[in-house]
Amino acid sequence: MAAIKTAIPTRRFDAVIVGAGGSGMRASLQLAEAGLNVAVLSKVFPTRSHTVAAQGGIGASLGNMSEDDWYWHMFDTVKGGDYLGDQDAIEFMCREAPKVVYELEHFGMPFDRNPDGTIYQRPFGGHTANFGEKPVQRACAAADRTGHALLHTLYQRNVRARTHFFVEWMAIDIIRDAEGDVVGVVALEMETGECMILEAKTTIFATGGAGRIFAASTNAFINTGDGMGMAARAGLPLQDMEFWQFHPTGVSGAGVLITEGVRGEGGILINSNGERFMERYAPTLKDLAPRDFVSRSMDQEIKEGRGCGPNKDHVLLDLRHIGAETIAKRLPSILEIGHKFANVDATKEPIPVVPTIHYQMGGIPTNIYGQVVTPAGDGSQKIVNGLYAIGECACVSVHGANRLGTNSLLDLVVFGRAAGNHVVQSNLKARSNKALPKDAADFAMERMNRLETSTGSEKVQGVANDIRATMQKYCGVFRTDELLTQGVKEIMVLDERRKHVSFKDKSKVFNTARVEALELDNLIETAKATIVSAQARKESRGAHAHSDYQQRDDEVWMKHTLWHSEGNRLEYKAVVTKPLTVDTFKPKARTF
Ligand SMILES: Cc1cc2nc3c(=O)[nH]c(=O)nc-3n(C[C@H](O)[C@H](O)[C@H](O)COP(=O)(O)OP(=O)(O)OC[C@H]3O[C@@H](n4cnc5c(N)ncnc54)[C@H](O)[C@@H]3O)c2cc1C
């Protein structure tokens, strides 16, 4: 508890990275090892970033279990994303995948092993051999704690490389100079309430997703969309925000994730008749069809009265037949989650599950080097000098309209590394920092001061809860014109209410309350971007399932959405259908 100071100290770095999850720490490692002076900010201790919760695996066509090919991985990713992904970026990611996974292995990441010593790989939704012919084992796993193993490995390598961590520091806003170049961030030390300017030749956003704009979510409480909020306030667009993935298996009532790895290891979904209903919806891939497909099928079963439990509001995930020994070896955390959150012994009883918000496919638009890009007005793209975005907060568009499981951890390391390399090659060391504008911190400090002086009657968590409830009600698995139109209206009302939040007793404000109030500004930007973009898209594609327009409409809608906060305005840009070296995968009907 301390008052906000007005005189702001400044520190100078070659690069500032906001976020210490998998993407931020992969990039920082590249920079620190190249001898750059790099600062990494995080709201929580680095190894508590949401990446730590990733369970199932990281995708790469190593072919350790049976024949595999990066080109098949590319096909699955393009098709899984319902043809909205940029094929140049997808080719880049799938080709790089084996290299970055072996690199992690050499960093010391404790992957599960096959008897011959190679990395163990399990099947995952939508991953196939030979262009959809049959499921393939592509997910490299460390039991059901892959993200934990990944994040700890990267943290240790960063400690060795002397990366400078600012733990429990929250970036509030970016600083852009008169030319629009990004020259650093203003940040708050959460313990003391002190603000500081971190000047940087390059700023990299790695702030993760915004899953907390929905009421039922598998995401950590810190996932409030700060990167998207900062970008939107700085006049940058957000891309494809209507596409949000519902994970089929969140524990009913609790939201906690049960990894798709459970179905990869043989688990099946059953309805109240005990029927394995996915056989009807996806005859080839069954329970391992992509997530949007499985979530919609589950919702359909529940709608048609075949849900389980007294309220018929969930289905069951059955893994009893896998056997206690395999469960204990490959899925130990799931056993624990079953006990703690569903009160079942998963070796003897099925787990009640419902589709739960999990991942945002959209984010801050970038190119394959992680550089943030905006439309130039003539159909081409302009690079925002000094700003990169990587990981879940970015949209390089490898996931299109629906992400395949294991492709996010892959995205983090591929593009974290690529951005790091690009920064190193830009010869940062030899360049000096651009001059800070005189009013560098004014915008951020105005936001801080507004909170201190506001006399409004709104409470931060009151508005935040209403945002989550509104998004859940109007922007769910199945969307309609009526729901979305009403949802947009209600979110706009919440945007007004948000401006009137204040602290009850101004003499006793805890910094945690300040942090939550600052996060609220980010939640609302992300929620607006999501629901306004969703309301405009009159088709069904990937995770955007529209009951009034049930078909994909490639003629009109095969394009990326760009939402601008200023003027609450939308524009569109073309999908890159041309890969780097191979032939285009042309849109086809999506059956599994
Ligand atoms: C439960 C769960 C399981 C998953 N399982 C898998 C899986 O098996 N395979 C897979 O491929 N994907 C999986 N995913 C998705 C994947 O884990 C995430 O997309 C990915 O980890 C996000 O990484 P990131 O680096 O973008 O950000 P995060 O890991 O979310 O890290 C964000 C960082 O930014 C910091 N930050 C945010 N805002 C600020 C701010 N204002 N100032 C300072 N710091 C800030 C945070 O402190 C944190 O350090 C899973 C996701 C969840 C939620």
Side-chain angles (χ1 to χ4, degrees):
M1 200 168 63
I4 300 295
K5 289 188 186 167
T6 40
I8 303 177
T10 300
R11 283 184 68 174
R12 198 174 263 190
F13 296 91
D14 289 326
V16 166
I17 301 182
V18 185
S23 62
M25 287 208 284
R26 185 64 195 84
S28 61
L29 183 59
Q30 215 68 4
L31 300 185
E33 283 186 342
L36 294 174
N37 179 13
V38 49
V40 178
L41 274 63
S42 177
K43 292 198 284 188
V44 294
F45 192 78
T47 51
R48 300 194 67 179
S49 304
H50 188 63
T51 300
V52 81
Q55 300 173 354
I58 174 167
S61 58
L62 305 184
N64 287 350
M65 319 303 283
S66 60
E67 190 190 352
D68 201 0
D69 194 311
W70 69 263
Y71 197 35
W72 299 345
H73 187 182
M74 177 180 172
F75 167 80
D76 293 337
T77 304
V78 172
K79 182 180 172 192
D82 220 350
Y83 301 92
L84 193 75
D86 286 340
Q87 296 194 20
D88 55 345
I90 297 175
E91 176 179 342
F92 180 74
M93 179 176 81
C94 296
R95 286 180 91 116
E96 288 281 294
K99 193 197 299 173
V100 297
V101 166
Y102 287 133
E103 200 174 51
L104 287 170
E105 183 183 34
H106 296 161
F107 287 169
M109 181 163 159
F111 284 107
D112 280 4
R113 299 282 165 185
N114 293 313
D116 66 356
T118 53
I119 295 173
Y120 167 72
Q121 299 183 277
R122 57 164 61 110
F124 241 74
H127 290 278
T128 70
N130 207 11
F131 312 107
E133 199 178 275
K134 55 177 189 221
V136 75
Q137 296 185 230
R138 189 177 287 147
C140 310
D144 52 2
R145 296 166 185 153
T146 311
H148 184 272
L150 171 77
L151 205 56
H152 280 259
T153 304
L154 287 176
Y155 179 64
Q156 286 164 11
R157 297 295 289 202
N158 270 281
V159 169
R160 193 175 90 152
R162 299 188 190 282
T163 300
H164 193 135
F165 286 102
F166 285 75
V167 176
E168 297 192 359
W169 278 78
M170 178 186 189
I172 307 174
D173 274 303
I174 45 173
I175 305 166
R176 293 184 82 178
D177 68 8
E179 289 164 319
D181 296 352
V182 175
V183 291
V185 296
V186 181
L188 168 76
E189 185 178 24
M190 289 157 70
E191 187 187 347
T192 61
E194 297 208 9
C195 287
M196 184 161 81
I197 291 176
L198 290 99
E199 260 189 275
K201 298 172 200 168
T202 286
T203 301
I204 303 182
F205 273 179
T207 51
R212 284 286 151 186
I213 63 166
F214 287 89
S217 170
T218 65
N219 278 211
F221 284 99
I222 55 166
N223 289 10
T224 48
D226 296 7
M228 274 76 69
M230 287 188 271
R233 282 192 297 277
L236 300 170
L238 300 179
Q239 183 174 325
D240 293 344
M241 289 301 295
E242 61 270 48
F243 298 102
W244 278 85
Q245 179 164 80
F246 286 80
H247 196 292
T249 55
V251 174
S252 177
V256 179
L257 180 81
I258 302 283
T259 174
E260 193 169 283
V262 168
R263 282 169 287 137
E265 296 290 345
I268 57 169
L269 292 163
I270 52 178
N271 61 19
S272 57
N273 301 331
E275 181 205 3
R276 185 183 184 187
F277 56 87
M278 281 313 299
E279 288 181 333
R280 268 189 280 121
Y281 294 93
T284 311
L285 294 188
K286 302 189 177 86
D287 301 87
L288 285 176
R291 291 176 180 171
D292 58 326
F293 215 82
V294 179
S295 291
R296 279 196 294 279
S297 309
M298 288 166 68
D299 224 51
Q300 196 67 27
E301 290 298 298
I302 294 168
K303 268 205 191 105
E304 290 174 8
R306 291 185 293 279
C308 306
N311 300 326
K312 295 183 157 299
D313 58 357
H314 58 262
V315 298
L316 296 174
L317 177 62
D318 193 353
L319 50 156
R320 288 172 293 187
H321 52 283
I322 298 176
E325 200 182 317
T326 309
I327 294 175
K329 182 167 172 215
R330 300 269 186 230
L331 306 163
S333 305
I334 297 312
L335 211 52
E336 199 181 324
I337 290 170
H339 274 303
K340 290 204 173 132
F341 293 96
N343 199 24
V344 302
D345 175 352
T347 61
K348 301 198 179 91
E349 299 153 273
I351 307 173
V353 290
V354 281
T356 305
I357 260 307
H358 184 57
Y359 182 86
Q360 62 174 68
M361 270 67 75
I364 305 164
T366 73
N367 62 19
I368 59 172
Y369 309 111
Q371 293 176 290
V372 174
V373 291
T374 60
D378 58 358
S380 70
Q381 312 229 63
K382 222 172 30 205
I383 286 164
V384 179
N385 289 323
L387 187 64
Y388 290 69
I390 47 177
E392 193 169 334
C393 74
C395 185
V396 52
S397 202
V398 281
H399 309 302
N402 170 62
R403 170 178 74 93
L404 290 189
T406 78
N407 267 358
S408 173
L409 290 184
L410 179 61
D411 167 357
L412 308 183
V413 280
V414 167
F415 294 103
R417 184 176 184 276
N421 280 341
H422 196 262
V423 172
V424 171
Q425 282 154 16
S426 69
N427 203 13
L428 220 52
K429 202 91 201 145
R431 285 194 270 135
S432 51
N433 289 69
K434 277 188 93 180
L436 269 186
K438 285 209 171 55
D439 60 354
D442 287 8
F443 181 65
M445 295 321 289
E446 266 166 36
R447 283 181 62 223
M448 296 290 294
N449 291 335
R450 188 196 82 219
L451 291 171
E452 303 303 315
T453 54
S454 166
T455 52
S457 57
E458 295 290 350
K459 298 283 154 281
V460 172
Q461 282 313 328
V463 179
N465 283 338
D466 288 351
I467 293 174
R468 292 190 266 268
T470 305
M471 292 303 290
Q472 193 78 26
K473 182 166 172 196
Y474 297 105
C475 208
V477 175
F478 283 103
R479 299 164 174 185
T480 68
D481 270 337
E482 202 186 330
L483 281 173
L484 289 167
T485 306
Q486 186 57 26
V488 170
K489 275 195 203 137
E490 301 206 4
I491 285 291
M492 290 308 170
V493 171
L494 283 161
D495 190 21
E496 278 308 306
R497 283 179 54 194
R498 186 253 330 175
K499 293 174 189 156
H500 303 287
V501 298
S502 76
F503 302 124
K504 199 164 154 205
D505 178 353
K506 293 202 173 43
S507 63
K508 279 194 214 140
V509 182
F510 285 92
N511 284 335
T512 44
R514 289 197 177 100
V515 166
E516 285 176 10
L518 291 166
E519 286 174 342
L520 180 66
D521 289 347
N522 300 323
L523 287 175
I524 194 76
E525 292 298 337
T526 321
K528 278 193 292 183
T530 299
I531 201 156
V532 170
S533 305
Q535 200 261 343
R537 187 174 279 271
K538 311 285 187 199
E539 65 160 352
S540 289
R541 183 185 294 272
H544 179 66
H546 204 308
S547 302
D548 299 328
Y549 312 93
Q550 295 187 10
Q551 302 305 318
R552 191 177 74 203
D553 179 353
D554 289 330
E555 213 152 292
V556 181
W557 285 106
M558 202 157 116
K559 55 190 179 188
H560 296 295
T561 306
L562 293 171
W563 174 82
H564 297 263
S565 180
E566 205 185 340
N568 195 17
R569 170 173 72 85
L570 293 172
E571 68 180 312
Y572 294 91
K573 72 172 183 186
V575 172
V576 180
T577 50
K578 201 171 165 5
L580 299 170
T581 62
V582 290
D583 288 339
T584 298
F585 287 114
K586 296 220 170 68
K588 283 201 189 122
R590 218 162 140 256
T591 52
F592 296 96

